[in-house]
Amino acid sequence: FPTRRSSDLVDTASGGGDRSGHSTYNAGLLKLNYRASGTLVFQGSYAFAKLLTNADSFSGSLGSEDTANRFLEKSVGAYDQTQTVKLSTVYELPFGAGKHWLSKGGFTNTMVGGWRLSGTQSYNTGFPIGITANATLPISNTANRPYITTDSWLASYSGSFDPAKDKFLDPTVFPAQPVGVLGNAPRENSKVRLFPSLNENMSLAKTFKLKERLRLDFRFEAFNIFNRVVFGGPVTSLQSSTFGVISSQANTSRNMQGGLKIYW
């Protein structure tokens, strides 16, 4: 008989070929495109969607309650976002040759003509949250979820959320956890979500034509121009002393940069 090498084996438990999962994605999508005489280009889209799956993680992963019962893993997807808005705009400023203002050529056109202002914006509802428990069982599972009596897990707070003093999840809504049973909490709770993602980027650019085949591109860019803060996820291990606490930021602070590029 031929010798079987380890490289000939298919490891379905470590992502090498598991095909037992199932996902469904449904969405309504609205798109808008607008062009105005070559000076303004606008594109926008809105999506209302839902992702259901038992396959965010394959059954041999650390996230499965019971590797032999895929049904227990079905919930909204970890990356489910109910609403998504994306906008993109490019506007050529009305200055310089051929434009409404300062249309004379020469040095004036070189300095004020041909500037382009552009921006992208994205707004998304938050991802769902799942909670884990420490009580694993000798049934080929490496994770468990808590037993729950309600799917309303959010803590109450007054005013704007302050991670220094407020908890995002309320530990008091969870009953005493039974021993030796699989929890009934969904893998991801569609009613409890992270903070929405809000982001705006802007850029100002111009092309300087130095000679017939020589040009200089200037660009100034600002990412997260309004310096929005989007909080990260809370601690989701029910037995943790910091359960429900948020101690991270999901996005980066405002970042600005400029650049020059020469084409010849």
Side-chain angles (χ1 to χ4, degrees), residues 5 10 26 28 30 51 60 63-64 79 90 93 113 121 141 159-160 180 187 190 203 209 221-222 232 244 246 257:
R5 299 169 300 178
V10 177
N26 295 283
L30 177 65
L51 169 64
S64 298
Y79 297 101
V90 179
L93 300 180
Q121 298 120 285
N141 81 320
S160 299
R187 185 170 52 81
S190 62
S203 73
K209 293 184 179 180
E221 299 170 318
I246 292 179
Q257 64 183 26

mmCIF file with all atom_site columns, all heavy atoms in Angstrom, residues 5 10 26 28 30 51 60 63-64 79 90 93 113 121 141 159-160 180 187 190 203 209 221-222 232 244 246 257:
data_model
loop_
_atom_site.group_PDB
_atom_site.id
_atom_site.type_symbol
_atom_site.label_atom_id
_atom_site.label_alt_id
_atom_site.label_comp_id
_atom_site.label_asym_id
_atom_site.label_entity_id
_atom_site.label_seq_id
_atom_site.pdbx_PDB_ins_code
_atom_site.Cartn_x
_atom_site.Cartn_y
_atom_site.Cartn_z
_atom_site.occupancy
_atom_site.B_iso_or_equiv
_atom_site.pdbx_formal_charge
_atom_site.auth_seq_id
_atom_site.auth_comp_id
_atom_site.auth_asym_id
_atom_site.auth_atom_id
_atom_site.pdbx_PDB_model_num
ATOM 1   N N   . ARG A 1 5   ? 1.044   10.594 3.285   1.00 0.00 ? 5   ARG A N   1
ATOM 2   C CA  . ARG A 1 5   ? 1.762   11.702 3.909   1.00 0.00 ? 5   ARG A CA  1
ATOM 3   C C   . ARG A 1 5   ? 0.780   12.646 4.586   1.00 0.00 ? 5   ARG A C   1
ATOM 4   O O   . ARG A 1 5   ? -0.383  12.721 4.205   1.00 0.00 ? 5   ARG A O   1
ATOM 5   C CB  . ARG A 1 5   ? 2.574   12.472 2.858   1.00 0.00 ? 5   ARG A CB  1
ATOM 6   C CG  . ARG A 1 5   ? 3.626   11.632 2.146   1.00 0.00 ? 5   ARG A CG  1
ATOM 7   C CD  . ARG A 1 5   ? 4.172   12.390 0.950   1.00 0.00 ? 5   ARG A CD  1
ATOM 8   N NE  . ARG A 1 5   ? 3.099   12.714 -0.003  1.00 0.00 ? 5   ARG A NE  1
ATOM 9   C CZ  . ARG A 1 5   ? 3.307   13.416 -1.112  1.00 0.00 ? 5   ARG A CZ  1
ATOM 10  N NH1 . ARG A 1 5   ? 4.515   13.888 -1.385  1.00 0.00 ? 5   ARG A NH1 1
ATOM 11  N NH2 . ARG A 1 5   ? 2.302   13.663 -1.936  1.00 0.00 ? 5   ARG A NH2 1
ATOM 12  N N   . VAL A 1 10  ? -6.902  16.216 4.471   1.00 0.00 ? 10  VAL A N   1
ATOM 13  C CA  . VAL A 1 10  ? -7.708  17.430 4.482   1.00 0.00 ? 10  VAL A CA  1
ATOM 14  C C   . VAL A 1 10  ? -8.134  17.710 5.909   1.00 0.00 ? 10  VAL A C   1
ATOM 15  O O   . VAL A 1 10  ? -8.845  16.907 6.525   1.00 0.00 ? 10  VAL A O   1
ATOM 16  C CB  . VAL A 1 10  ? -8.950  17.284 3.578   1.00 0.00 ? 10  VAL A CB  1
ATOM 17  C CG1 . VAL A 1 10  ? -9.810  18.539 3.670   1.00 0.00 ? 10  VAL A CG1 1
ATOM 18  C CG2 . VAL A 1 10  ? -8.525  17.028 2.139   1.00 0.00 ? 10  VAL A CG2 1
ATOM 19  N N   . ASN A 1 26  ? -29.723 38.671 2.234   1.00 0.00 ? 26  ASN A N   1
ATOM 20  C CA  . ASN A 1 26  ? -30.767 39.373 1.496   1.00 0.00 ? 26  ASN A CA  1
ATOM 21  C C   . ASN A 1 26  ? -30.589 40.873 1.704   1.00 0.00 ? 26  ASN A C   1
ATOM 22  O O   . ASN A 1 26  ? -30.293 41.323 2.819   1.00 0.00 ? 26  ASN A O   1
ATOM 23  C CB  . ASN A 1 26  ? -32.161 38.949 1.972   1.00 0.00 ? 26  ASN A CB  1
ATOM 24  C CG  . ASN A 1 26  ? -32.446 37.490 1.683   1.00 0.00 ? 26  ASN A CG  1
ATOM 25  O OD1 . ASN A 1 26  ? -32.743 37.119 0.551   1.00 0.00 ? 26  ASN A OD1 1
ATOM 26  N ND2 . ASN A 1 26  ? -32.354 36.656 2.705   1.00 0.00 ? 26  ASN A ND2 1
ATOM 27  N N   . GLY A 1 28  ? -31.806 44.996 0.077   1.00 0.00 ? 28  GLY A N   1
ATOM 28  C CA  . GLY A 1 28  ? -32.364 45.952 -0.875  1.00 0.00 ? 28  GLY A CA  1
ATOM 29  C C   . GLY A 1 28  ? -31.339 47.054 -1.082  1.00 0.00 ? 28  GLY A C   1
ATOM 30  O O   . GLY A 1 28  ? -30.780 47.575 -0.119  1.00 0.00 ? 28  GLY A O   1
ATOM 31  N N   . LEU A 1 30  ? -30.211 50.679 -3.128  1.00 0.00 ? 30  LEU A N   1
ATOM 32  C CA  . LEU A 1 30  ? -30.580 51.866 -3.885  1.00 0.00 ? 30  LEU A CA  1
ATOM 33  C C   . LEU A 1 30  ? -29.311 52.608 -4.271  1.00 0.00 ? 30  LEU A C   1
ATOM 34  O O   . LEU A 1 30  ? -28.476 52.903 -3.414  1.00 0.00 ? 30  LEU A O   1
ATOM 35  C CB  . LEU A 1 30  ? -31.488 52.775 -3.051  1.00 0.00 ? 30  LEU A CB  1
ATOM 36  C CG  . LEU A 1 30  ? -31.902 54.111 -3.686  1.00 0.00 ? 30  LEU A CG  1
ATOM 37  C CD1 . LEU A 1 30  ? -32.758 53.890 -4.920  1.00 0.00 ? 30  LEU A CD1 1
ATOM 38  C CD2 . LEU A 1 30  ? -32.618 54.989 -2.665  1.00 0.00 ? 30  LEU A CD2 1
ATOM 39  N N   . LEU A 1 51  ? -27.813 39.284 7.113   1.00 0.00 ? 51  LEU A N   1
ATOM 40  C CA  . LEU A 1 51  ? -27.009 38.084 6.893   1.00 0.00 ? 51  LEU A CA  1
ATOM 41  C C   . LEU A 1 51  ? -27.301 37.076 7.995   1.00 0.00 ? 51  LEU A C   1
ATOM 42  O O   . LEU A 1 51  ? -27.143 37.378 9.180   1.00 0.00 ? 51  LEU A O   1
ATOM 43  C CB  . LEU A 1 51  ? -25.509 38.434 6.904   1.00 0.00 ? 51  LEU A CB  1
ATOM 44  C CG  . LEU A 1 51  ? -24.528 37.267 6.937   1.00 0.00 ? 51  LEU A CG  1
ATOM 45  C CD1 . LEU A 1 51  ? -24.643 36.425 5.673   1.00 0.00 ? 51  LEU A CD1 1
ATOM 46  C CD2 . LEU A 1 51  ? -23.099 37.767 7.125   1.00 0.00 ? 51  LEU A CD2 1
ATOM 47  N N   . GLY A 1 60  ? -15.169 23.203 13.677  1.00 0.00 ? 60  GLY A N   1
ATOM 48  C CA  . GLY A 1 60  ? -14.061 22.819 14.544  1.00 0.00 ? 60  GLY A CA  1
ATOM 49  C C   . GLY A 1 60  ? -13.406 23.996 15.232  1.00 0.00 ? 60  GLY A C   1
ATOM 50  O O   . GLY A 1 60  ? -12.397 23.843 15.908  1.00 0.00 ? 60  GLY A O   1
ATOM 51  N N   . GLY A 1 63  ? -15.329 28.842 18.336  1.00 0.00 ? 63  GLY A N   1
ATOM 52  C CA  . GLY A 1 63  ? -16.601 29.477 18.586  1.00 0.00 ? 63  GLY A CA  1
ATOM 53  C C   . GLY A 1 63  ? -17.788 28.545 18.618  1.00 0.00 ? 63  GLY A C   1
ATOM 54  O O   . GLY A 1 63  ? -18.917 29.000 18.745  1.00 0.00 ? 63  GLY A O   1
ATOM 55  N N   . SER A 1 64  ? -17.604 27.233 18.476  1.00 0.00 ? 64  SER A N   1
ATOM 56  C CA  . SER A 1 64  ? -18.728 26.302 18.387  1.00 0.00 ? 64  SER A CA  1
ATOM 57  C C   . SER A 1 64  ? -19.111 25.757 19.751  1.00 0.00 ? 64  SER A C   1
ATOM 58  O O   . SER A 1 64  ? -18.278 25.320 20.529  1.00 0.00 ? 64  SER A O   1
ATOM 59  C CB  . SER A 1 64  ? -18.375 25.141 17.465  1.00 0.00 ? 64  SER A CB  1
ATOM 60  O OG  . SER A 1 64  ? -18.120 25.591 16.165  1.00 0.00 ? 64  SER A OG  1
ATOM 61  N N   . TYR A 1 79  ? -20.639 39.829 10.907  1.00 0.00 ? 79  TYR A N   1
ATOM 62  C CA  . TYR A 1 79  ? -20.392 41.042 10.129  1.00 0.00 ? 79  TYR A CA  1
ATOM 63  C C   . TYR A 1 79  ? -21.685 41.582 9.506   1.00 0.00 ? 79  TYR A C   1
ATOM 64  O O   . TYR A 1 79  ? -21.651 42.299 8.507   1.00 0.00 ? 79  TYR A O   1
ATOM 65  C CB  . TYR A 1 79  ? -19.344 40.764 9.045   1.00 0.00 ? 79  TYR A CB  1
ATOM 66  C CG  . TYR A 1 79  ? -18.012 40.385 9.633   1.00 0.00 ? 79  TYR A CG  1
ATOM 67  C CD1 . TYR A 1 79  ? -17.595 39.061 9.686   1.00 0.00 ? 79  TYR A CD1 1
ATOM 68  C CD2 . TYR A 1 79  ? -17.181 41.357 10.184  1.00 0.00 ? 79  TYR A CD2 1
ATOM 69  C CE1 . TYR A 1 79  ? -16.385 38.705 10.253  1.00 0.00 ? 79  TYR A CE1 1
ATOM 70  C CE2 . TYR A 1 79  ? -15.968 41.023 10.754  1.00 0.00 ? 79  TYR A CE2 1
ATOM 71  C CZ  . TYR A 1 79  ? -15.572 39.692 10.785  1.00 0.00 ? 79  TYR A CZ  1
ATOM 72  O OH  . TYR A 1 79  ? -14.377 39.360 11.354  1.00 0.00 ? 79  TYR A OH  1
ATOM 73  N N   . VAL A 1 90  ? -16.917 64.179 -6.380  1.00 0.00 ? 90  VAL A N   1
ATOM 74  C CA  . VAL A 1 90  ? -15.766 64.875 -6.962  1.00 0.00 ? 90  VAL A CA  1
ATOM 75  C C   . VAL A 1 90  ? -16.295 66.148 -7.605  1.00 0.00 ? 90  VAL A C   1
ATOM 76  O O   . VAL A 1 90  ? -17.172 66.094 -8.486  1.00 0.00 ? 90  VAL A O   1
ATOM 77  C CB  . VAL A 1 90  ? -15.033 64.012 -8.005  1.00 0.00 ? 90  VAL A CB  1
ATOM 78  C CG1 . VAL A 1 90  ? -13.859 64.799 -8.598  1.00 0.00 ? 90  VAL A CG1 1
ATOM 79  C CG2 . VAL A 1 90  ? -14.545 62.712 -7.391  1.00 0.00 ? 90  VAL A CG2 1
ATOM 80  N N   . LEU A 1 93  ? -13.647 72.850 -8.887  1.00 0.00 ? 93  LEU A N   1
ATOM 81  C CA  . LEU A 1 93  ? -13.987 74.207 -8.474  1.00 0.00 ? 93  LEU A CA  1
ATOM 82  C C   . LEU A 1 93  ? -14.099 75.138 -9.688  1.00 0.00 ? 93  LEU A C   1
ATOM 83  O O   . LEU A 1 93  ? -13.313 75.013 -10.647 1.00 0.00 ? 93  LEU A O   1
ATOM 84  C CB  . LEU A 1 93  ? -12.944 74.736 -7.496  1.00 0.00 ? 93  LEU A CB  1
ATOM 85  C CG  . LEU A 1 93  ? -12.789 73.932 -6.194  1.00 0.00 ? 93  LEU A CG  1
ATOM 86  C CD1 . LEU A 1 93  ? -11.725 74.563 -5.304  1.00 0.00 ? 93  LEU A CD1 1
ATOM 87  C CD2 . LEU A 1 93  ? -14.109 73.845 -5.459  1.00 0.00 ? 93  LEU A CD2 1
ATOM 88  N N   . GLY A 1 113 ? -6.828  77.722 -11.170 1.00 0.00 ? 113 GLY A N   1
ATOM 89  C CA  . GLY A 1 113 ? -7.631  76.842 -12.009 1.00 0.00 ? 113 GLY A CA  1
ATOM 90  C C   . GLY A 1 113 ? -7.319  75.374 -11.789 1.00 0.00 ? 113 GLY A C   1
ATOM 91  O O   . GLY A 1 113 ? -6.220  74.992 -11.389 1.00 0.00 ? 113 GLY A O   1
ATOM 92  N N   . GLN A 1 121 ? -17.825 59.395 2.103   1.00 0.00 ? 121 GLN A N   1
ATOM 93  C CA  . GLN A 1 121 ? -18.460 59.233 3.402   1.00 0.00 ? 121 GLN A CA  1
ATOM 94  C C   . GLN A 1 121 ? -19.046 57.834 3.492   1.00 0.00 ? 121 GLN A C   1
ATOM 95  O O   . GLN A 1 121 ? -19.596 57.325 2.514   1.00 0.00 ? 121 GLN A O   1
ATOM 96  C CB  . GLN A 1 121 ? -19.573 60.267 3.601   1.00 0.00 ? 121 GLN A CB  1
ATOM 97  C CG  . GLN A 1 121 ? -19.087 61.700 3.575   1.00 0.00 ? 121 GLN A CG  1
ATOM 98  C CD  . GLN A 1 121 ? -19.722 62.508 2.467   1.00 0.00 ? 121 GLN A CD  1
ATOM 99  O OE1 . GLN A 1 121 ? -19.381 62.354 1.309   1.00 0.00 ? 121 GLN A OE1 1
ATOM 100 N NE2 . GLN A 1 121 ? -20.671 63.352 2.827   1.00 0.00 ? 121 GLN A NE2 1
ATOM 101 N N   . ASN A 1 141 ? -16.662 20.314 22.482  1.00 0.00 ? 141 ASN A N   1
ATOM 102 C CA  . ASN A 1 141 ? -16.823 21.756 22.298  1.00 0.00 ? 141 ASN A CA  1
ATOM 103 C C   . ASN A 1 141 ? -15.727 22.465 23.074  1.00 0.00 ? 141 ASN A C   1
ATOM 104 O O   . ASN A 1 141 ? -15.191 21.942 24.044  1.00 0.00 ? 141 ASN A O   1
ATOM 105 C CB  . ASN A 1 141 ? -18.208 22.224 22.762  1.00 0.00 ? 141 ASN A CB  1
ATOM 106 C CG  . ASN A 1 141 ? -18.271 22.408 24.271  1.00 0.00 ? 141 ASN A CG  1
ATOM 107 O OD1 . ASN A 1 141 ? -17.710 21.611 25.011  1.00 0.00 ? 141 ASN A OD1 1
ATOM 108 N ND2 . ASN A 1 141 ? -18.975 23.422 24.705  1.00 0.00 ? 141 ASN A ND2 1
ATOM 109 N N   . GLY A 1 159 ? -27.134 60.664 29.275  1.00 0.00 ? 159 GLY A N   1
ATOM 110 C CA  . GLY A 1 159 ? -26.301 61.473 28.399  1.00 0.00 ? 159 GLY A CA  1
ATOM 111 C C   . GLY A 1 159 ? -25.530 60.620 27.411  1.00 0.00 ? 159 GLY A C   1
ATOM 112 O O   . GLY A 1 159 ? -25.924 59.511 27.064  1.00 0.00 ? 159 GLY A O   1
ATOM 113 N N   . SER A 1 160 ? -24.400 61.147 26.954  1.00 0.00 ? 160 SER A N   1
ATOM 114 C CA  . SER A 1 160 ? -23.543 60.419 26.022  1.00 0.00 ? 160 SER A CA  1
ATOM 115 C C   . SER A 1 160 ? -22.791 59.307 26.747  1.00 0.00 ? 160 SER A C   1
ATOM 116 O O   . SER A 1 160 ? -22.431 59.443 27.924  1.00 0.00 ? 160 SER A O   1
ATOM 117 C CB  . SER A 1 160 ? -22.542 61.378 25.354  1.00 0.00 ? 160 SER A CB  1
ATOM 118 O OG  . SER A 1 160 ? -23.215 62.384 24.627  1.00 0.00 ? 160 SER A OG  1
ATOM 119 N N   . GLY A 1 180 ? -23.244 22.412 33.628  1.00 0.00 ? 180 GLY A N   1
ATOM 120 C CA  . GLY A 1 180 ? -23.344 21.204 32.820  1.00 0.00 ? 180 GLY A CA  1
ATOM 121 C C   . GLY A 1 180 ? -24.342 21.259 31.692  1.00 0.00 ? 180 GLY A C   1
ATOM 122 O O   . GLY A 1 180 ? -24.798 20.212 31.218  1.00 0.00 ? 180 GLY A O   1
ATOM 123 N N   . ARG A 1 187 ? -25.555 33.027 19.084  1.00 0.00 ? 187 ARG A N   1
ATOM 124 C CA  . ARG A 1 187 ? -24.134 33.272 18.834  1.00 0.00 ? 187 ARG A CA  1
ATOM 125 C C   . ARG A 1 187 ? -23.873 34.762 18.647  1.00 0.00 ? 187 ARG A C   1
ATOM 126 O O   . ARG A 1 187 ? -22.886 35.303 19.144  1.00 0.00 ? 187 ARG A O   1
ATOM 127 C CB  . ARG A 1 187 ? -23.687 32.476 17.615  1.00 0.00 ? 187 ARG A CB  1
ATOM 128 C CG  . ARG A 1 187 ? -22.201 32.551 17.323  1.00 0.00 ? 187 ARG A CG  1
ATOM 129 C CD  . ARG A 1 187 ? -21.824 31.540 16.259  1.00 0.00 ? 187 ARG A CD  1
ATOM 130 N NE  . ARG A 1 187 ? -22.680 31.691 15.090  1.00 0.00 ? 187 ARG A NE  1
ATOM 131 C CZ  . ARG A 1 187 ? -22.505 32.613 14.142  1.00 0.00 ? 187 ARG A CZ  1
ATOM 132 N NH1 . ARG A 1 187 ? -21.521 33.492 14.252  1.00 0.00 ? 187 ARG A NH1 1
ATOM 133 N NH2 . ARG A 1 187 ? -23.310 32.680 13.099  1.00 0.00 ? 187 ARG A NH2 1
ATOM 134 N N   . SER A 1 190 ? -28.824 40.074 17.368  1.00 0.00 ? 190 SER A N   1
ATOM 135 C CA  . SER A 1 190 ? -29.125 41.148 16.419  1.00 0.00 ? 190 SER A CA  1
ATOM 136 C C   . SER A 1 190 ? -29.689 42.385 17.100  1.00 0.00 ? 190 SER A C   1
ATOM 137 O O   . SER A 1 190 ? -29.694 43.474 16.520  1.00 0.00 ? 190 SER A O   1
ATOM 138 C CB  . SER A 1 190 ? -30.129 40.651 15.374  1.00 0.00 ? 190 SER A CB  1
ATOM 139 O OG  . SER A 1 190 ? -31.356 40.289 15.980  1.00 0.00 ? 190 SER A OG  1
ATOM 140 N N   . SER A 1 203 ? -10.395 65.429 0.212   1.00 0.00 ? 203 SER A N   1
ATOM 141 C CA  . SER A 1 203 ? -9.116  65.709 -0.436  1.00 0.00 ? 203 SER A CA  1
ATOM 142 C C   . SER A 1 203 ? -9.246  66.931 -1.335  1.00 0.00 ? 203 SER A C   1
ATOM 143 O O   . SER A 1 203 ? -10.326 67.198 -1.886  1.00 0.00 ? 203 SER A O   1
ATOM 144 C CB  . SER A 1 203 ? -8.627  64.504 -1.251  1.00 0.00 ? 203 SER A CB  1
ATOM 145 O OG  . SER A 1 203 ? -9.382  64.354 -2.434  1.00 0.00 ? 203 SER A OG  1
ATOM 146 N N   . LYS A 1 209 ? 0.316   71.876 -15.127 1.00 0.00 ? 209 LYS A N   1
ATOM 147 C CA  . LYS A 1 209 ? 0.956   71.498 -16.385 1.00 0.00 ? 209 LYS A CA  1
ATOM 148 C C   . LYS A 1 209 ? 2.174   72.376 -16.594 1.00 0.00 ? 209 LYS A C   1
ATOM 149 O O   . LYS A 1 209 ? 2.060   73.563 -16.936 1.00 0.00 ? 209 LYS A O   1
ATOM 150 C CB  . LYS A 1 209 ? -0.035  71.651 -17.536 1.00 0.00 ? 209 LYS A CB  1
ATOM 151 C CG  . LYS A 1 209 ? -1.188  70.658 -17.477 1.00 0.00 ? 209 LYS A CG  1
ATOM 152 C CD  . LYS A 1 209 ? -2.092  70.787 -18.688 1.00 0.00 ? 209 LYS A CD  1
ATOM 153 C CE  . LYS A 1 209 ? -3.214  69.762 -18.616 1.00 0.00 ? 209 LYS A CE  1
ATOM 154 N NZ  . LYS A 1 209 ? -4.125  69.854 -19.796 1.00 0.00 ? 209 LYS A NZ  1
ATOM 155 N N   . GLU A 1 221 ? -4.893  65.480 1.709   1.00 0.00 ? 221 GLU A N   1
ATOM 156 C CA  . GLU A 1 221 ? -5.958  64.561 2.111   1.00 0.00 ? 221 GLU A CA  1
ATOM 157 C C   . GLU A 1 221 ? -6.150  64.596 3.622   1.00 0.00 ? 221 GLU A C   1
ATOM 158 O O   . GLU A 1 221 ? -5.180  64.760 4.378   1.00 0.00 ? 221 GLU A O   1
ATOM 159 C CB  . GLU A 1 221 ? -5.613  63.130 1.673   1.00 0.00 ? 221 GLU A CB  1
ATOM 160 C CG  . GLU A 1 221 ? -5.474  62.977 0.170   1.00 0.00 ? 221 GLU A CG  1
ATOM 161 C CD  . GLU A 1 221 ? -4.908  61.627 -0.221  1.00 0.00 ? 221 GLU A CD  1
ATOM 162 O OE1 . GLU A 1 221 ? -3.968  61.170 0.452   1.00 0.00 ? 221 GLU A OE1 1
ATOM 163 O OE2 . GLU A 1 221 ? -5.393  61.040 -1.202  1.00 0.00 ? 221 GLU A OE2 1
ATOM 164 N N   . ALA A 1 222 ? -7.385  64.452 4.026   1.00 0.00 ? 222 ALA A N   1
ATOM 165 C CA  . ALA A 1 222 ? -7.726  64.372 5.451   1.00 0.00 ? 222 ALA A CA  1
ATOM 166 C C   . ALA A 1 222 ? -8.664  63.193 5.650   1.00 0.00 ? 222 ALA A C   1
ATOM 167 O O   . ALA A 1 222 ? -9.734  63.134 5.040   1.00 0.00 ? 222 ALA A O   1
ATOM 168 C CB  . ALA A 1 222 ? -8.381  65.662 5.918   1.00 0.00 ? 222 ALA A CB  1
ATOM 169 N N   . GLY A 1 232 ? -14.757 50.821 20.514  1.00 0.00 ? 232 GLY A N   1
ATOM 170 C CA  . GLY A 1 232 ? -14.615 49.414 20.173  1.00 0.00 ? 232 GLY A CA  1
ATOM 171 C C   . GLY A 1 232 ? -15.634 48.555 20.905  1.00 0.00 ? 232 GLY A C   1
ATOM 172 O O   . GLY A 1 232 ? -16.591 49.060 21.507  1.00 0.00 ? 232 GLY A O   1
ATOM 173 N N   . GLY A 1 244 ? -18.755 43.774 29.928  1.00 0.00 ? 244 GLY A N   1
ATOM 174 C CA  . GLY A 1 244 ? -19.527 44.932 29.497  1.00 0.00 ? 244 GLY A CA  1
ATOM 175 C C   . GLY A 1 244 ? -18.753 46.221 29.393  1.00 0.00 ? 244 GLY A C   1
ATOM 176 O O   . GLY A 1 244 ? -19.300 47.236 28.952  1.00 0.00 ? 244 GLY A O   1
ATOM 177 N N   . ILE A 1 246 ? -16.033 48.831 27.891  1.00 0.00 ? 246 ILE A N   1
ATOM 178 C CA  . ILE A 1 246 ? -15.352 49.168 26.641  1.00 0.00 ? 246 ILE A CA  1
ATOM 179 C C   . ILE A 1 246 ? -14.073 49.929 26.977  1.00 0.00 ? 246 ILE A C   1
ATOM 180 O O   . ILE A 1 246 ? -14.105 50.925 27.699  1.00 0.00 ? 246 ILE A O   1
ATOM 181 C CB  . ILE A 1 246 ? -16.249 50.024 25.731  1.00 0.00 ? 246 ILE A CB  1
ATOM 182 C CG1 . ILE A 1 246 ? -17.433 49.192 25.228  1.00 0.00 ? 246 ILE A CG1 1
ATOM 183 C CG2 . ILE A 1 246 ? -15.460 50.580 24.552  1.00 0.00 ? 246 ILE A CG2 1
ATOM 184 C CD1 . ILE A 1 246 ? -18.395 49.970 24.344  1.00 0.00 ? 246 ILE A CD1 1
ATOM 185 N N   . GLN A 1 257 ? -2.479  64.359 5.336   1.00 0.00 ? 257 GLN A N   1
ATOM 186 C CA  . GLN A 1 257 ? -1.218  64.188 4.618   1.00 0.00 ? 257 GLN A CA  1
ATOM 187 C C   . GLN A 1 257 ? -1.265  64.957 3.298   1.00 0.00 ? 257 GLN A C   1
ATOM 188 O O   . GLN A 1 257 ? -2.331  65.238 2.749   1.00 0.00 ? 257 GLN A O   1
ATOM 189 C CB  . GLN A 1 257 ? -0.937  62.710 4.341   1.00 0.00 ? 257 GLN A CB  1
ATOM 190 C CG  . GLN A 1 257 ? -1.949  62.047 3.420   1.00 0.00 ? 257 GLN A CG  1
ATOM 191 C CD  . GLN A 1 257 ? -1.687  60.568 3.214   1.00 0.00 ? 257 GLN A CD  1
ATOM 192 O OE1 . GLN A 1 257 ? -1.090  59.920 4.075   1.00 0.00 ? 257 GLN A OE1 1
ATOM 193 N NE2 . GLN A 1 257 ? -2.114  60.046 2.099   1.00 0.00 ? 257 GLN A NE2 1
#
